[in-house]
């Protein structure tokens, strides 16, 4: 029985499914049913008599290809056996194996995994007589990544360093020689790495016309998913196999091309109609994910793009609140209001259906501290969790020793960065310090003069016990050169994280409170598999392909989104705009954009005014509802609305009448304390307690009569009976 796809698909999708001959470009807007369209077209091709063996489906993950083929098989009575589907690299590997005897791979070849490639790069390094280089020399992993970017972008190594790793420019000549040596060893031993597969396959198709024609004859129908993510060589491979008038369908969205740093070229999809004269262009604009107010704002973001395919996203879901634009007094109060909004949203949605998105991983650090302090579970996609970053642990280790001189892990982290001091020496020195063995300490200091300065720093901090920010400033004066020396590959990025740490430190009066909150961490799995009771924190790049009921976006100001580097080149600014579009279209029902009016400047030790993101300034005011934080901590609607308390304002913003009945969920006060936990349990009057094993901790909630949930620094969240606790007076 023929597939009645007209009942399952909208008119644009039907047109794409029925376009079987000649080149076709499908511009699939966010949430427009791209995968469904591909699946139905696969089934329709076979239903029309096309042999499955003549269909080639190229995707960016094997899982995507398998899912599409499986779904298409379900639509057909006789299945879909015979279709070739997979990634560009797996297809290239299979063809090189099949035709090795016709090319310069007669003696065979081996495809290296990453570990093998690193070993070969190490051999290239040794062949140059570099041997054991200084600690500040880039790691092999970083060098291999730079070489890969140079190849995929098809540009020289110098350009890659200038754009992405300028701090490594002094090593340009050495890195260039290592890249040449790496290539020479591969050729000498018949080795191919991941990137080589595509370029060698291209040479095969270019130099052997018989192979090229054979593949064109076999694969008469080629479909490419996520075409906006292809790099230059992948686009050329498609053209070589399809020919100018081949039956090739490219599916993608130019507005979601956000992987230029990996080598993806948005020009591939933009130039498709020129590369394939007479190509049919079909636009999928009906969205099945978001409400119309959210799509109106996403359309506003795209409206100002310089190079794009015009499209206008629309949906049958016309109802819903306008996106909320919140202008906060500072980046610190931004986190407080975001916490309040999350608490309010949880009255409507499960915690895992709410996501907080940001441009760079460090921008969520302040929020992570607040979430951990309050015992709110979260998962982070992209970037490193604040508490897991090595440079953050390093800096905090010095402060931990000021509070607790017997903190062995902190001593080990501090000693690790003293040249020549190994684990055995560190252990002996620690025991000597704690036991008062002055002779051993003096002997060790004589062997390692750097220890004298280190002990001087720590003794000075212990004697004065300065405020956290002052202490951190002194630590950074010592640790800054160590950061550059020991993390040469990416120390500029790590410096941004330390600046955010200083921003957090400025809010604390003493070291004990500061360190206590930073060590209140939930030991949760941080995989990308969504937990059903955890808030999602994600970089926007890691959020692509995902969706949530409610989305909050942080730091929509110049130098943070778009980044300072992106403001320098038009093509980079265009990609940042597409990134903004991707972020907005992750939201199904609710979207909030945060624009702090001041941002803490590490070098000046104060907050400075900032400008909203140009993407915000370009938006029509009618596309969002603007709220401003006032000096009393409440919010007021822009345009002269009466000031309201934060709770009342957020009630209105998410579309619920103020004072309505609420289900139990956490609420956060301006200072960040919890009034109810994530299970809706009533809180006791907050205070502190002491446990015989875990030490002093902060009470979060009364889990049941005589039972408390407590944050213990270094141990995380524990639920303990009152009879095992010594409660402190909370008054």
């Amino acid at each position: 029985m023929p597939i009645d796809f007209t009942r399952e698909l909208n008119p644009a999708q039907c047109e794409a499914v029925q376009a079987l001959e000649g080149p076709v470009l499908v511009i699939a807007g966010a949430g427009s049913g791209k995968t469904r369209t591909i699946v139905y077209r696969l089934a329709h091709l076979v239903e029309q008599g096309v042999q499955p063996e003549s269909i080639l489906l190229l995707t960016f993950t094997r899982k995507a290809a398998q899912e599409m083929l499986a779904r298409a098989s379900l639509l057909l009575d006789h299945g879909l056996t015979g279709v070739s589907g997979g990634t560009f690299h797996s297809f290239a590997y299979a063809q090189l194996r099949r035709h090795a005897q016709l090319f310069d791979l007669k003696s065979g070849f081996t495809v290296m995994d990453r570990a093998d490639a690193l070993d070969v790069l190490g051999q290239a390094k040794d062949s140059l007589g570099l041997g054991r280089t200084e600690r500040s020399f880039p790691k092999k992993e970083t060098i291999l990544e730079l070489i890969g970017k140079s190849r995929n972008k098809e540009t020289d190594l110098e350009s890659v360093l200038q754009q992405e790793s300028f701090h490594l420019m002094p090593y340009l000549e050495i890195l260039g020689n290592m890249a040449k040596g790496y290539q020479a060893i591969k050729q000498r031993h018949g080795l191919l790495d991941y990137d080589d597969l595509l370029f060698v396959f291209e040479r095969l198709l270019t130099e052997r016309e018989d192979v090229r024609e054979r593949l064109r004859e076999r694969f008469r129908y080629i479909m490419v998913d996520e075409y906006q993510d292809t790099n230059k060589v992948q686009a050329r491979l498609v053209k070589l196999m399809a020919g100018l008038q081949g039956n090739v369908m490219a599916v993608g969205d130019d507005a979601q091309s956000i992987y230029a740093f990996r080598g993806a070229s948005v020009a591939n999809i933009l130039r498709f109609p020129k590369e394939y004269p007479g190509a049919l262009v079909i636009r999928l604009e009906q969205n099945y994910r978001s409400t119309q107010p959210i799509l109106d704002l996403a359309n506003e973001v795209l409206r100002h793009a310089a190079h794009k395919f015009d499209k206008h996203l629309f949906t049958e879901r016309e109802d819903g609140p306008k996106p909320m634009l919140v202008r906060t007094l500072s980046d610190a109060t931004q986190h407080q209001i975001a916490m309040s909004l999350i608490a309010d949203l949880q009255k409507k949605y499960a915690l895992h259906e709410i996501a907080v998105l940001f441009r760079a991983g460090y921008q969520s650090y302040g929020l992570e501290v607040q979430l951990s302090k309050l015992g709110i579970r979260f998962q982070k996609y992209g970037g490193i969790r604040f508490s897991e970053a090595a440079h953050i642990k390093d800096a905090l280790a010095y402060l931990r020793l000021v509070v607790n001189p017997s903190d062995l892990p902190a001593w080990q982290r501090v000693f690790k960065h003293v040249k020549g001091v190994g684990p055995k020496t560190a252990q002996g020195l620690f025991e000597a310090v704690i036991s008062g063995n002055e002779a051993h300490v003096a002997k060790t200091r004589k062997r390692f003069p750097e220890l004298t300065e280190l002990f001087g720093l720590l003794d000075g901090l212990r004697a004065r016990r300065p405020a956290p920010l002052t202490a951190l400033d002194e630590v950074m004066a010592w640790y800054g050169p160590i950061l550059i020396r020991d993390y040469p590959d990416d120390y500029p990025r790590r410096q941004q994280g330390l600046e955010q740490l200083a921003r957090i430190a400025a809010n604390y009066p003493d070291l004990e409170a500061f360190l206590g909150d930073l060590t209140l961490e939930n030991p949760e799995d941080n995989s990308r598999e969504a937990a059903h009771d955890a808030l999602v924190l994600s970089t926007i790049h890691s959020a692509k392909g995902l969706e949530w009921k409610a989305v909050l976006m942080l730091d929509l100001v110049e130098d943070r989104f778009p980044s300072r580097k992106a403001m320098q080149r038009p093509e980079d600014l265009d990609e940042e705009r597409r990134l903004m579009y991707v972020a907005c279209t992750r939201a199904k029902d609710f979207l909030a954009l945060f624009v702090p009016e001041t941002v803490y400047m590490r070098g000046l030790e104060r907050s400075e005014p900032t400008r909203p993101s140009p993407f915000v300034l370009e938006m029509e005011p009618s596309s969002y509802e603007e709220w401003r934080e006032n000096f009393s901590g409440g919010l007021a609607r822009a345009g002269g609305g009466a000031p309201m308390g934060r709770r009342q304002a957020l009630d209105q913003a998410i579309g619920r009448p103020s004072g309505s009945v609420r289900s139990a969920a956490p609420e956060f006060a301006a200072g960040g304390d919890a009034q109810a936990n994530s299970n809706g349990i009533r809180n006791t009057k907050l205070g502190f307690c002491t446990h015989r094993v875990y030490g002093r901790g902060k009470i979060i909630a009364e889990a049941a009569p005589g039972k408390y949930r407590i944050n213990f620094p270094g141990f995380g969240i524990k639920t303990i009976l009152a009879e095992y606790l010594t409660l402190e007076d909370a008054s």
Side-chain angles (χ1 to χ4, degrees):
M1 183 177 179
I3 301 171
D4 185 9
F5 50 79
T6 58
R7 297 180 57 185
E8 302 292 331
L9 306 175
N10 64 44
Q13 292 172 330
C14 288
E15 183 182 6
V17 167
Q18 297 177 85
L20 304 184
E21 303 297 324
V24 181
L25 175 63
V26 178
I27 301 298
S32 61
K34 168 182 67 72
T35 300
R36 172 181 284 261
T37 302
I38 294 174
V39 166
Y40 272 81
R41 187 174 190 266
L42 284 168
H44 186 58
L45 280 168
V46 175
E47 192 178 58
Q48 294 300 304
V50 174
Q51 293 299 312
E53 293 79 6
S54 67
I55 302 173
L56 172 62
L57 173 63
L58 294 173
T59 63
F60 277 85
T61 65
R62 182 174 60 178
K63 181 180 178 181
Q66 291 174 338
E67 177 187 349
M68 291 176 186
L69 293 175
R71 287 174 57 180
S73 295
L74 293 176
L75 297 175
L76 298 166
D77 295 334
H78 46 80
L80 203 61
T81 304
V83 173
S84 295
T87 66
F88 278 90
H89 293 84
S90 63
F91 181 75
Y93 174 74
Q95 295 306 314
L96 290 176
R97 279 292 182 197
R98 184 170 290 112
H99 299 98
Q101 73 281 3
L102 303 177
F103 198 40
D104 61 357
L105 302 170
K106 297 182 180 64
S107 59
F109 66 93
T110 300
V111 178
M112 303 183 295
D113 60 18
R114 183 171 175 79
D116 294 333
L118 288 171
D119 288 342
V120 171
L121 188 62
Q123 295 174 33
K125 177 182 174 183
D126 294 341
S127 69
L128 294 173
L130 296 175
R132 290 181 62 86
T133 52
E134 70 273 15
R135 292 175 70 175
S136 61
F137 193 76
K139 296 181 178 65
K140 289 188 298 184
E141 291 83 356
T142 298
I143 299 172
L144 188 65
E145 182 180 353
L146 292 170
I147 292 172
K149 286 184 176 182
S150 175
R151 294 205 70 194
N152 283 301
K153 293 186 174 186
E154 300 186 32
T155 186
D156 56 82
L157 192 58
E158 181 177 5
S159 297
V160 173
L161 291 180
Q162 285 180 336
Q163 293 178 22
E164 301 186 26
S165 303
F166 189 78
H167 61 288
L168 298 180
M169 281 296 291
Y171 300 107
L172 173 61
E173 184 176 356
I174 297 176
L175 297 182
N177 290 334
M178 285 183 64
K180 293 176 183 177
Y182 173 69
Q183 187 65 24
I185 294 174
K186 288 191 298 178
Q187 291 179 341
R188 187 160 60 246
H189 296 285
L191 302 173
L192 299 180
D193 63 21
Y194 193 67
D195 298 321
D196 290 329
L197 290 171
L198 301 183
F199 289 99
V200 175
F201 183 40
E202 182 187 23
R203 282 179 50 211
L204 173 63
L205 295 180
T206 302
E207 298 177 9
R208 292 299 300 249
E209 183 180 358
D210 56 334
V211 175
R212 184 172 69 247
E213 292 303 321
R214 195 177 306 154
L215 288 178
R216 287 182 179 178
E217 180 63 27
R218 177 183 175 184
F219 298 112
R220 295 184 51 241
Y221 296 88
I222 299 175
M223 300 176 67
V224 187
D225 186 28
E226 303 285 12
Y227 196 74
Q228 79 280 350
D229 293 336
T230 55
N231 60 22
K232 295 178 181 178
V233 66
Q234 288 167 330
R236 293 196 299 268
L237 286 172
V238 172
K239 192 170 183 179
L240 283 167
M241 289 189 292
L244 291 179
Q245 298 300 320
N247 298 324
V248 56
M249 172 180 279
V251 183
D253 184 5
D254 57 297
Q256 296 188 71
S257 180
I258 59 173
Y259 297 123
F261 65 93
R262 296 181 187 168
S265 175
V266 69
N268 290 344
I269 193 167
L270 292 174
R271 289 182 52 82
F272 189 93
K274 294 182 179 179
E275 293 291 327
Y276 298 88
L280 174 64
V281 179
I282 301 171
R283 292 169 172 79
L284 304 185
E285 299 173 296
Q286 184 170 353
N287 179 282
Y288 295 93
R289 175 188 299 152
S290 308
T291 63
Q292 192 60 52
I294 292 174
L295 297 181
D296 288 342
L297 187 133
N299 289 331
E300 271 293 299
V301 173
L302 288 186
R303 185 167 64 89
H304 299 275
H307 305 287
K308 64 180 186 298
F309 284 102
D310 289 328
K311 57 179 168 290
H312 183 83
L313 299 181
F314 68 93
T315 181
E316 294 179 354
R317 299 186 61 207
E318 297 182 355
D319 294 332
K322 282 187 177 183
M324 183 182 184
L325 186 99
V326 187
R327 296 185 184 270
T328 65
L329 295 176
S330 70
D331 48 346
T333 60
Q334 165 189 239
H335 293 147
Q336 293 178 6
I337 295 178
M339 292 286 285
S340 296
L341 182 54
I342 290 166
D344 225 28
L345 287 167
Q346 201 185 348
K347 312 300 193 310
K348 297 181 68 173
Y349 312 118
L351 200 56
H352 69 275
E353 294 179 325
I354 306 169
V356 181
L357 306 184
F358 32 86
R359 176 64 182 83
Y362 76 89
Q363 291 171 306
S364 70
Y365 284 175
L367 190 60
E368 290 178 44
V369 171
Q370 292 293 318
L371 289 168
S372 295
K373 179 168 66 172
L374 298 172
I376 306 302
R377 292 188 64 199
F378 66 91
Q379 291 182 302
K380 187 172 182 180
Y381 304 155
I384 301 173
R385 285 180 75 147
F386 185 59
S387 60
E388 296 172 352
H391 54 292
I392 300 295
K393 288 184 175 181
D394 288 346
L396 291 177
Y398 296 90
L399 302 184
R400 286 164 55 183
L401 292 176
V402 176
V403 175
N404 179 12
S406 63
D407 187 336
L408 174 59
W411 279 115
Q412 290 172 330
R413 292 200 75 88
V414 166
F415 287 148
K416 180 182 68 174
H417 296 294
V418 177
K419 189 174 182 180
V421 175
K424 186 176 180 180
T425 302
Q427 181 70 30
L429 186 56
F430 163 74
E431 293 173 356
V433 168
I434 296 304
S435 65
N437 188 342
E438 296 180 8
H440 184 86
V441 173
K443 181 180 177 181
T444 309
R445 286 171 63 175
K446 189 174 181 179
R447 288 176 57 200
F448 306 104
E450 191 177 331
L451 288 172
T452 299
E453 295 181 55
L454 172 61
F455 287 146
L457 167 68
L458 295 174
D459 286 338
L461 290 172
R462 287 186 62 218
R464 290 180 289 109
R465 283 292 184 102
L469 180 58
T470 302
L472 190 60
D473 284 341
E474 295 185 36
V475 167
M476 287 310 302
W478 167 268
Y479 180 70
I482 294 174
L483 179 75
I484 296 173
R485 183 193 69 195
D486 290 359
Y487 301 102
D489 305 77
D490 60 350
Y491 70 82
R493 178 184 62 80
R494 294 177 186 267
Q495 285 173 332
Q496 289 180 311
L498 289 169
E499 290 174 4
Q500 191 67 12
L501 179 64
R503 178 69 187 91
I504 296 168
N507 295 319
Y508 286 84
D510 59 77
L511 283 172
E512 287 86 349
F514 175 57
L515 292 173
D517 283 350
L518 289 180
T519 54
L520 295 175
E521 185 62 60
N522 288 324
E524 305 297 346
D525 180 72
N526 196 30
S527 68
R528 192 166 165 166
E529 294 297 323
H532 287 285
D533 56 349
L535 178 74
V536 175
L537 308 183
S538 179
T539 62
I540 301 172
H541 281 102
S542 297
K544 187 174 181 292
L546 303 177
E547 59 184 37
W548 295 274
K549 294 283 190 180
V551 169
L552 289 67
M553 293 173 59
L554 303 180
D555 281 342
L556 287 172
V557 294
E558 281 189 2
D559 291 347
R560 292 194 175 186
F561 195 177
S563 65
R564 181 176 304 175
K565 184 174 66 175
M567 298 287 286
Q568 300 171 6
R569 300 198 316 161
E571 57 268 39
D572 291 341
L573 187 60
D574 282 348
E575 177 144 331
E576 294 284 300
R577 183 188 304 282
R578 297 192 291 269
L579 199 60
M580 176 77 174
Y581 165 82
V582 168
C584 293
T585 53
R586 299 310 93 197
K588 295 181 178 180
D589 302 334
F590 179 83
L591 175 64
L593 314 176
F594 284 84
V595 183
E597 295 183 337
T598 61
V599 172
Y600 184 77
M601 306 300 290
R602 174 78 176 90
L604 300 175
E605 310 303 341
R606 64 173 183 265
S607 291
E608 288 285 300
T610 187
R611 283 177 54 81
S613 166
F615 308 139
V616 171
L617 295 176
E618 291 169 348
M619 294 176 186
E620 286 291 335
S622 60
S623 64
Y624 56 80
E625 186 175 90
E626 183 175 345
W627 293 80
R628 289 182 180 271
E629 181 185 11
N630 53 44
F631 293 114
S632 62
L635 295 175
R637 196 193 307 269
M644 297 181 231
R646 186 182 299 174
R647 175 62 55 227
Q648 182 184 7
L650 296 178
D651 276 342
Q652 289 196 14
I654 67 173
R656 185 177 62 246
S658 180
S660 60
V661 177
R662 300 173 183 153
S663 59
E667 300 195 17
F668 310 111
D673 285 334
Q675 261 100 60
N677 72 3
S678 56
N679 295 319
I681 300 170
R682 178 181 64 84
N683 274 22
T684 184
K685 188 173 183 180
L686 296 184
F688 292 85
C689 64
T690 303
H691 185 268
R692 186 170 59 85
V693 174
Y694 300 122
R696 190 169 185 263
K698 184 175 183 179
I699 300 173
I700 294 175
E702 185 179 1
K707 185 182 293 185
Y708 298 101
R709 294 190 71 221
I710 306 151
N711 278 332
F712 290 102
F715 297 97
I717 312 300
K718 305 292 180 181
T719 302
I720 297 178
L721 291 171
E723 61 189 272
Y724 295 104
L725 302 170
T726 301
L727 301 180
E728 298 180 12
D729 185 4
S731 61

